[in-house]
Amino acid sequence: MKFFQRLGRSLMLPVAVLPVAAILSGIGYWILAATGNETNVVGGFFKIAGGALLDQLPLLFAIGVAIGMAKKPDGTSALAGLVSWLVVTNLLSPASVAIFKGIVEEDVNLAFSNVENVFVGILCGLIGAYSYDHFKDSELPDALAFFSGRRSVAIVAAGASLVLSLVLFFLWPLVFTGLVGFGEFILTLGPLGVGIYGFLNRMLIPLGLHHALNSVFWFDVAGINDLGNFLNATGTYGVTGQYMTGFFPVMMMGLPGAALAMYVTAKSSRRKVAAGVLFSSAIASFFVGVTEPLEFSFMFLAPGLYVVHALFTGISMAVSAMLPVRMGFGFSGGFIDLVLGWVNPMAQNPWAIPLMGIFWFAVYFVVFRAIILKFDLKTPGRDEGDLLTDENAVLSGERKHLAEATAFLAALGGKDNITDLENCTTRLRMEVADTTLVDDGALKRAGAAGVVRPGGQSVQVIYGTSVQFVKDAMESIMTGRVDPVDDAQLAAEAGTEADGGADTAVRTSHLVRLRQPMAGAVIPLSEVPDPTFAQEIMGPGVAIEPTDGEVVAPAAGTVGHVFPTGHAVALVLEDGVELLIHVGVDTVQMKGEGFTTLVEAGQKVSAGTPLLRADLSAIRVAGHPAVTPILVMNDKDARIELV
């Protein structure tokens, strides 16, 4: 399983070229359509440029897989992949096979006319990666020393490619026939087959294996080549694009509808933080067609809901295949690809796709909302234990990624616990020495959209389209090129010490910096004469030995709860921190005597807003300590600093 997961990640490197091809081809088609002149030089220029990439896509796979599958690769693995591709494709060309078999070229099996495909490109890339990993440090006798080390990699790759060519000489016709048979079987099912493909596509995403399924239908592995034929306008009008069309309504409108449903069903005190996760992911889904950040926000919190999503995708694919609507993409089913493909000769009634999207937006919103409420699913913002925060919101750019990398490494058990680190489009893929050291909750608090444990020592952290920057920052810390970011540095960069106070709470990792809510001496929570507080059973924090009974808001937020007896108040700060200020020990027994509440639940407050007043003398006369604990209720690793 690990091998296929790494392969899926490697495939994304050449696939990342497709948006460029789509843009170039799209511009070319727009110009040709607008001018009505098929010989327009500018339009032809862009169309040919896009086709140049698409026509060489198998070669790009050979090079990309050679880089992606190699451990700590450099250009040598790419060269080895290229060498393997050249050897295999030339040895298995129809002209070469005709010579080997002693027949005329016209009688050569059709399979060899299709040997320059993505499947063979992947095999050549694997040879390149294997040759690099196992022979880059090889030492040869002095007479052959020039060919030692990395210079031997391409030579070994060429030798291995001879063996692969011999194997494929006998097996490729059988493999090709099987792949074509599978594709033809799906084709015989008509729209139902398209729907089955759409359903399986979504269900394989948690394993990262959907790319392998896509290659059968999108590329020329089985002769379907739906994606390539659409972008090159070489397919069949009304047919080409059927394995892509149904993704557009779901990615552009359906999933954003699901995001809205999860937002409106989130608890009011947690909607703001949930919105940051949901809406940013919805935007990525709509414009670019990158769905994993949004899908992973509920995939494991509510797996049944994800199955519903997969079913909806299959239905959308099947319905789209039945209708006279066809559209394709160069990267994914987002708005950008829809616009670029609008005037493609293979596009059929593209105006219907936004209308279908509106329908799916309504379906996703209504169904998701109903299921979430009926079964009380713990989608983002509904689970008090999900610890959603907008950590590092005060940071941006490189420092933000470095801070997240620091937090990720800590949550993963430290850099020494990570034995292998890679990434694909939206996720970190790792092998760890000890999986028990991985803290899923801490990873989510640090910015992860989800955590996947495929089995064995594998761990995947779902992050988003900027995952490459986080991975690079993690590697920089692990190799010692840069130092990890500590809480003090983050707080300084956030500017929280500018005026000696804090107007809003600032989350930096587990540090919570607050304005002191009561006058008095700050003491450790362990000194509170009550084991419930001292042992942090209710949560971590600090305490104040008060000299004045007025309690003010330590940061901007919302009053979550005011206790009837007036001795305590709960706040939900703007960054998601849930705070409890408890005046005195056992003061609930005073039944409100000596306490005056100044706010009510749901009220918005700013730093310094009076929350309640306590008569300290009355507390002491009643025989209760006046020491006031200040606790973080939703982060067991939090550390409060009062300023």
Side-chain angles (χ1 to χ4, degrees):
M1 183 63 70
K2 174 188 172 184
F3 169 81
F4 287 106
Q5 290 163 354
R6 286 177 60 87
L7 179 60
R9 181 263 304 166
S10 300
L11 294 179
M12 293 312 296
L13 184 59
V15 167
V17 178
L18 291 177
V20 179
I23 291 172
L24 293 173
S25 297
I27 293 174
Y29 287 126
W30 270 101
I31 294 175
L32 294 176
T35 60
N37 180 10
E38 290 295 327
T39 61
N40 182 280
V41 174
V42 178
F45 176 83
F46 283 102
K47 178 183 175 182
I48 294 171
L53 295 175
L54 294 169
D55 293 342
Q56 299 300 323
L57 192 59
L59 173 58
L60 296 178
F61 270 79
I63 296 173
V65 170
I67 296 173
M69 290 296 289
K71 297 178 181 178
K72 298 182 179 179
D74 56 24
T76 307
S77 64
L79 177 62
L82 174 61
V83 168
S84 178
W85 168 261
L86 294 174
V87 170
V88 172
T89 55
N90 279 276
L91 283 175
L92 296 180
S93 67
S96 299
V97 172
I99 295 174
F100 301 150
K101 289 191 172 185
I103 58 178
V104 296
E105 188 172 337
E106 289 75 14
D107 294 335
V108 172
N109 191 306
L110 182 63
F112 294 106
S113 297
N114 294 274
V115 75
E116 294 188 11
N117 58 65
V118 170
F119 176 73
V120 174
I122 291 173
L123 293 179
C124 293
L126 293 174
I127 287 179
Y130 180 88
S131 301
Y132 175 80
D133 287 342
H134 291 81
F135 294 95
K136 68 178 185 297
D137 298 319
S138 62
E139 293 186 16
L140 299 177
D142 292 344
L144 300 174
F146 176 80
F147 299 103
S148 294
R150 285 174 170 78
R151 292 190 180 94
S152 70
V153 172
I155 298 174
V156 173
S161 299
L162 295 176
V163 177
L164 175 62
S165 299
L166 185 61
V167 172
L168 290 178
F169 183 82
F170 297 101
L171 290 185
W172 175 241
L174 299 176
V175 173
F176 180 79
T177 301
L179 290 172
V180 172
F182 177 73
E184 289 177 344
F185 171 71
I186 291 295
L187 287 174
T188 61
L189 298 177
L192 176 61
V194 178
I196 292 173
Y197 158 67
F199 173 75
L200 294 177
N201 173 277
R202 294 296 95 180
M203 292 302 294
L204 288 174
I205 279 184
L207 301 177
L209 300 180
H210 53 300
H211 303 301
L213 181 67
N214 292 339
S215 65
V216 175
F217 297 95
W218 290 356
F219 306 118
D220 63 346
V221 170
I224 298 175
N225 198 25
D226 205 41
L227 189 151
N229 284 338
F230 183 89
L231 293 183
N232 275 327
T234 56
T236 303
Y237 182 78
V239 176
T240 299
Q242 64 179 329
Y243 293 102
M244 296 180 285
T245 307
F247 285 119
F248 282 94
V250 170
M251 293 180 176
M252 288 176 55
M253 303 293 285
L255 281 172
L260 181 60
M262 288 186 281
Y263 171 75
V264 300
T265 56
K267 296 182 179 180
S268 58
S269 62
R270 306 180 70 75
R271 281 184 181 173
K272 182 175 181 179
V273 180
V277 174
L278 295 171
F279 290 162
S280 61
S281 299
I283 290 173
S285 181
F286 175 80
F287 281 102
V288 189
V290 175
T291 61
E292 285 183 317
L294 184 52
E295 287 168 327
F296 275 94
S297 72
F298 66 90
M299 182 184 296
F300 297 105
L301 292 173
L305 207 58
Y306 186 78
V307 175
V308 172
H309 162 54
L311 287 172
F312 283 171
T313 302
I315 294 171
S316 175
M317 294 288 288
V319 171
S320 299
M322 288 188 289
L323 296 175
V325 180
R326 294 293 180 267
M327 178 55 68
F329 45 71
F331 179 69
S332 192
F335 177 77
I336 293 176
D337 274 284
L338 177 63
V339 172
L340 291 173
W342 195 277
V343 297
N344 188 295
M346 292 293 104
Q348 182 181 29
N349 298 323
W351 55 267
I353 291 178
L355 298 180
M356 296 164 64
I358 294 173
F359 168 79
W360 281 111
F361 181 91
V363 169
Y364 267 81
F365 175 77
V366 172
V367 174
F368 268 53
R369 182 179 181 277
I371 293 177
I372 291 170
L373 294 177
K374 180 175 178 60
F375 296 101
D376 190 25
L377 300 180
K378 302 304 181 182
T379 48
R382 288 181 57 81
D383 186 358
E384 293 295 339
D386 62 13
L387 302 179
L388 283 174
T389 67
D390 58 345
E391 296 179 66
N392 299 319
V394 295
L395 299 178
S396 61
E398 182 180 354
R399 295 299 290 173
K400 174 179 182 292
H401 296 311
L402 191 59
E404 288 171 332
T406 301
F408 280 176
L409 286 172
L412 290 164
K415 64 181 183 180
D416 294 334
N417 193 44
I418 300 175
T419 59
D420 186 53
L421 173 63
E422 299 292 345
N423 75 275
C424 65
T425 306
T426 58
R427 67 184 84 181
L428 295 167
R429 297 173 181 265
M430 289 157 291
E431 293 292 310
V432 297
D434 186 352
T435 57
T436 64
L437 298 179
V438 178
D439 186 339
D440 292 7
L443 287 167
K444 292 179 181 179
R445 291 194 298 273
V451 181
V452 183
R453 296 173 180 261
Q457 306 305 115
S458 299
V459 176
Q460 298 177 8
V461 177
I462 313 307
Y463 179 80
T465 53
S466 299
V467 67
Q468 177 68 51
F469 302 107
V470 178
K471 183 248 189 181
D472 291 343
M474 291 175 66
E475 287 186 333
S476 295
I477 295 174
M478 293 169 66
T479 57
R481 292 197 300 270
V482 299
D483 295 325
V485 180
D486 60 33
D487 292 341
Q489 288 177 307
L490 290 173
E493 292 175 22
T496 56
E497 297 179 348
D499 59 1
D503 291 333
T504 60
V506 175
R507 290 301 306 277
T508 56
S509 184
H510 299 294
L511 176 65
V512 181
R513 294 176 59 85
L514 303 168
R515 172 175 176 169
Q516 186 165 323
M518 296 182 75
V522 179
I523 63 173
L525 199 61
S526 59
E527 295 183 15
V528 176
D530 186 312
T532 301
F533 296 115
Q535 297 176 18
E536 299 186 353
I537 295 175
M538 295 181 64
V542 296
I544 296 176
E545 196 70 62
T547 57
D548 185 272
E550 184 179 64
V551 179
V552 300
T558 304
V559 178
H561 183 65
V562 178
F563 288 75
T565 53
H567 72 290
V569 60
L571 299 174
V572 179
L573 306 185
E574 288 186 342
D575 66 346
V577 173
E578 296 178 5
L579 205 66
L580 175 68
I581 303 175
H582 191 288
V583 181
V585 175
D586 292 331
T587 46
V588 66
Q589 299 177 10
M590 297 177 65
K591 299 181 179 180
E593 185 176 346
F595 295 94
T596 303
T597 57
L598 305 174
V599 292
E600 58 185 11
Q603 180 178 332
K604 298 287 186 180
V605 296
S606 57
T609 300
L611 302 176
L612 63 86
R613 291 193 182 94
D615 187 338
L616 300 182
S617 298
I619 294 174
R620 296 184 178 110
V621 169
H624 302 297
V627 60
T628 299
I630 303 164
L631 310 175
V632 173
M633 305 294 292
N634 63 338
D635 184 354
K636 63 181 179 61
D637 298 315
R639 178 165 57 87
I640 291 179
E641 182 174 317
L642 300 180
V643 294

